[in-house]
Amino acid sequence: MFNENVFVHTSNHTYEIKIGYSLFKKKYLFYPFNKNDKVVLVTNTTVSKFFKKMVLDYLLNINIDVSDFVLSDGENFKNLNSVELLLGYLLKNNFDRNTILIALGGGVIGDLTGFVASIYQRGIRVIQIPTTLLSQVDASIGGKTGVNHILGKNMIGTFWQPSAVIIDVCFLTTLPINQLISGIAEVIKYAIIFDIDFFQWLEDNIEKILVMDPNSLLYCIKKCCDLKSKVVFFDERENNLRCLLNFGHTYGHAIESYFKYSLFLHGEAISIGMVIASRTAKILKLLNDFDENRIINLLKLANLPFSAPKNMPPEEYLPYMKRDKKSRNGNIKLILPVSIGKVKIFNKIDKNIILQSIQECIL
């Protein structure tokens, strides 16, 4: 087994992603803190049972002034009410601009904590310690923060880069299998967008990832971090290239929002979204049958859903898709695959094509 470092460079900030096993047994894990720094560890009720004490003990052992704040677990708590709770805690306890928030958890905790860090006293530092595969390969990297609104996912947020990202693959050992599989959806997304060789590697090694083979997991996480860091370097604020990372998300976010973030995990919804987007590309004669089938078959191998929900009428997708952050003037923007390893941005797709794509994916 090995440890890896990836650096993320933006126009005015550089930070390190540390990737490895049992990182909290190493001495020099965190960058040097300043003398007056105070740290608040933010986590949720589930993660706190497994990892809160270990992280707190580590920080206390290196003489860091640290406290903790625990939020409820679940996507349905990724909202402004949770933001208000954390802000209230910081204000009541007189935390100042020397405060560092540490987000210990999955994408919900990472996004929410990053958002609070970006707005508290006009911006304080945040360190991401992702504990799910989905957050380790995607959500913790790149500085996109936010919370959900009942009318749309991640509609309230900021761009706020972390000071560091610490990825300890050991954290995945406590992950329920459905959460691990949910994260694999984002891994497959990267391969479809950027790298046909990585897609082939996933076809050959997906079973190793499902049984959490250590070297396969490390390779997979490092590969995704490398790809994400390059995208962030060229397009930090999602003006062009970074939009490609939303492949599957316009359809998938509509599904999550419609079911009020309760029926599907994020990766499960994105898996379905990638299938519908691939069908859209096929109907438009952008994607051939062979590549569409390879995409669906890999999702099947990963035990991810590949059929649109029967209890969500196709017409119900449209309001959410029109409110999507990528849409302009009511025109739906879609990221569609033209081959495995290559996607493109398409505007003004006819709504009848969108409805047909959804209908054909209801099995």
Side-chain angles (χ1 to χ4, degrees), residues 1-2 21 201 208 212-221:
M1 286 186 279
F2 56 94
Y21 274 83
W201 183 88
K208 291 181 181 179
M212 299 185 64
D213 172 68
N215 289 323
S216 298
L217 270 175
L218 278 168
Y219 172 80
C220 182
I221 293 167

Side-chain angles (χ1 to χ4, degrees), residues 54-200:
M54 179 180 68
V55 178
L56 287 175
D57 287 348
Y58 185 96
L59 291 165
L60 290 170
N61 284 336
I62 58 173
N63 299 315
I64 300 300
D65 183 2
V66 59
S67 57
D68 64 277
F69 188 78
V70 180
L71 288 161
S72 298
D73 185 19
E75 185 80 28
N76 53 321
F77 293 102
K78 186 182 170 182
N79 54 35
L80 287 173
N81 183 60
S82 294
V83 169
E84 179 66 26
L85 289 173
L86 180 51
L87 288 172
Y89 173 80
L90 296 174
L91 289 166
K92 288 175 184 176
N93 290 278
N94 299 314
F95 285 100
D96 57 25
R97 285 183 173 176
N98 290 320
T99 302
I100 303 171
L101 302 185
I102 297 181
L104 176 67
V108 171
I109 285 294
D111 281 7
L112 193 151
T113 305
F115 179 55
V116 170
S118 74
I119 62 174
Y120 186 69
Q121 298 198 15
R122 296 190 176 90
I124 59 175
R125 288 164 289 167
V126 61
I127 294 172
Q128 296 282 352
I129 305 180
T131 60
T132 65
L133 181 61
L134 191 149
S135 58
Q136 290 184 353
V137 300
D138 190 70
S140 66
I141 307 157
K144 284 174 72 172
T145 80
V147 293
N148 302 329
H149 189 277
I150 192 170
L151 295 177
K153 184 178 173 68
N154 290 333
M155 295 304 289
I156 306 161
T158 60
F159 289 94
W160 191 253
Q161 298 295 341
S163 297
V165 180
I166 298 167
I167 297 175
D168 193 327
V169 187
C170 287
F171 288 162
L172 302 182
T173 58
T174 62
L175 206 60
I177 186 63
N178 64 333
Q179 289 280 358
L180 179 73
I181 291 169
S182 175
I184 292 173
E186 293 283 358
V187 174
I188 293 172
K189 176 197 77 173
Y190 279 107
I192 296 170
I193 296 170
F194 295 120
D195 196 329
I196 189 170
D197 292 332
F198 185 37
F199 190 93
Q200 176 69 58

